[in-house]
Amino acid sequence: MTLQEVKYLASQGEGLKIEFKKKAAFPEKIVKEFIALANTAGGVVMIGVDDDGTVSGQKFIEEEIYVMEKAIQELIFPKLDYELFRIDLNAKKGVAVFKLEKSSNRPHFLKVDKKRHSFIRVEDRSVQASIEVWEILKRSKNPKDTVFTYGRKEEVLLKYLAESEKITLKEYSKLAKIPKFLASKTLVRLVLANVLRIHPQESEDYFTLREQGV
């Protein structure tokens, strides 16, 4: 990767597939960006780029790289693959670009105090994945024909979505008068069966009917 390519990427601004970091301070927090990108659509994390896209570089960029690689290795599970590019701006400053593909081993997660935290990318933010997103990512790794049983709870849901634009887990649970865990399982199954589409959000995910052929 060349400096010209780095400046071009930086000029795009942060988004679904691009994240800027001035420096590798608090690497235990930055790794969530790596997880989110790998779990969603892939992308790049750029160290030495300001929030406004200025490629200002960072002194001792090799130390920034060391800190981040150590955090990636120790905190992200399962192992995360990436490409690393180091670009020197001058004798003192450089930029590091970590390039990630959409991972075939997703969902990746951050393990802290025996707890697993997974993240996905929503526009230009990395947000914690809901239980439903986690299940969909995990089960979609090994595609199989998902049995679509059409009962009362499915009928209520599809009838509602034929008249309304979207529905949340809480709304569906209340509408169908079923426990949240059962509503969750039903929604996940219908997403995997390509009947519904999930729209991850920072606060609460919502679901819509999937258009034919999409």
Side-chain angles (χ1 to χ4, degrees):
M1 184 172 289
T2 65
L3 178 56
Q4 183 178 2
E5 290 173 318
V6 168
K7 289 183 176 180
Y8 173 76
L9 283 172
S11 71
Q12 305 302 300
E14 290 186 311
L16 181 67
K17 302 180 74 172
I18 301 177
E19 178 70 28
F20 303 149
K21 294 296 178 185
K22 173 61 178 172
K23 60 183 300 182
F26 306 107
E28 67 280 1
K29 293 183 179 180
I30 297 177
V31 289
K32 76 177 186 179
E33 316 290 359
F34 288 78
I35 292 170
L37 290 169
N39 280 344
T40 308
V44 295
V45 177
M46 308 175 74
I47 308 293
V49 178
D50 300 342
D51 287 341
D52 63 1
T54 301
V55 184
S56 56
Q58 186 61 235
K59 290 183 178 179
F60 312 114
I61 191 64
E62 67 278 359
E63 294 183 10
E64 305 288 315
I65 291 172
Y66 171 79
V67 166
M68 281 314 311
E69 291 199 300
K70 187 172 185 292
I72 292 169
Q73 182 178 1
E74 294 179 354
L75 299 176
I76 298 179
F77 301 88
K79 180 183 176 182
L80 184 65
D81 295 324
Y82 60 88
E83 288 185 84
L84 171 63
F85 302 91
R86 170 182 167 172
I87 299 91
D88 292 324
L89 304 185
N90 52 48
K92 294 183 178 180
K93 289 186 175 183
V95 175
V97 179
F98 293 83
K99 183 180 179 182
L100 305 107
E101 300 295 334
K102 180 178 179 179
S103 177
S104 59
N105 290 324
R106 64 189 188 280
H108 294 274
F109 58 89
L110 170 66
K111 191 172 182 180
V112 179
D113 298 328
K114 297 183 179 180
K115 294 183 179 180
R116 298 180 176 186
H117 304 277
S118 192
F119 302 89
I120 55 169
R121 199 76 174 168
V122 177
E123 297 179 349
D124 61 349
R125 304 185 312 281
S126 295
V127 303
Q128 188 157 334
S130 64
I131 293 173
E132 291 71 40
V133 168
W134 174 279
E135 282 297 317
I136 291 165
L137 287 173
K138 184 172 65 175
R139 292 171 60 181
S140 63
K141 286 193 302 183
N142 300 306
K144 295 180 180 178
D145 291 334
T146 301
V147 177
F148 173 39
T149 55
Y150 190 85
R152 186 196 69 83
K153 62 182 184 300
E154 289 80 15
E155 182 180 3
V156 168
L157 173 63
L158 297 181
K159 183 178 179 180
Y160 178 87
L161 285 176
E163 300 173 353
S164 304
E165 183 179 348
K166 59 187 179 181
I167 194 168
T168 65
L169 170 63
K170 289 180 182 178
E171 289 170 343
Y172 175 44
S173 175
K174 183 177 180 180
L175 176 72
K177 299 179 181 179
I178 56 176
K180 282 181 66 177
F181 82 88
L182 183 55
S184 175
K185 286 185 176 181
T186 303
L187 291 168
V188 167
R189 190 178 74 253
L190 293 179
V191 170
L192 292 170
N194 290 321
V195 176
L196 299 183
R197 180 186 294 275
I198 186 171
H199 301 264
Q201 301 295 306
E202 194 163 7
S203 54
E204 185 178 15
D205 302 342
Y206 65 88
F207 300 79
T208 62
L209 285 174
R210 183 181 287 272
E211 298 177 16
Q212 281 191 328
V214 178

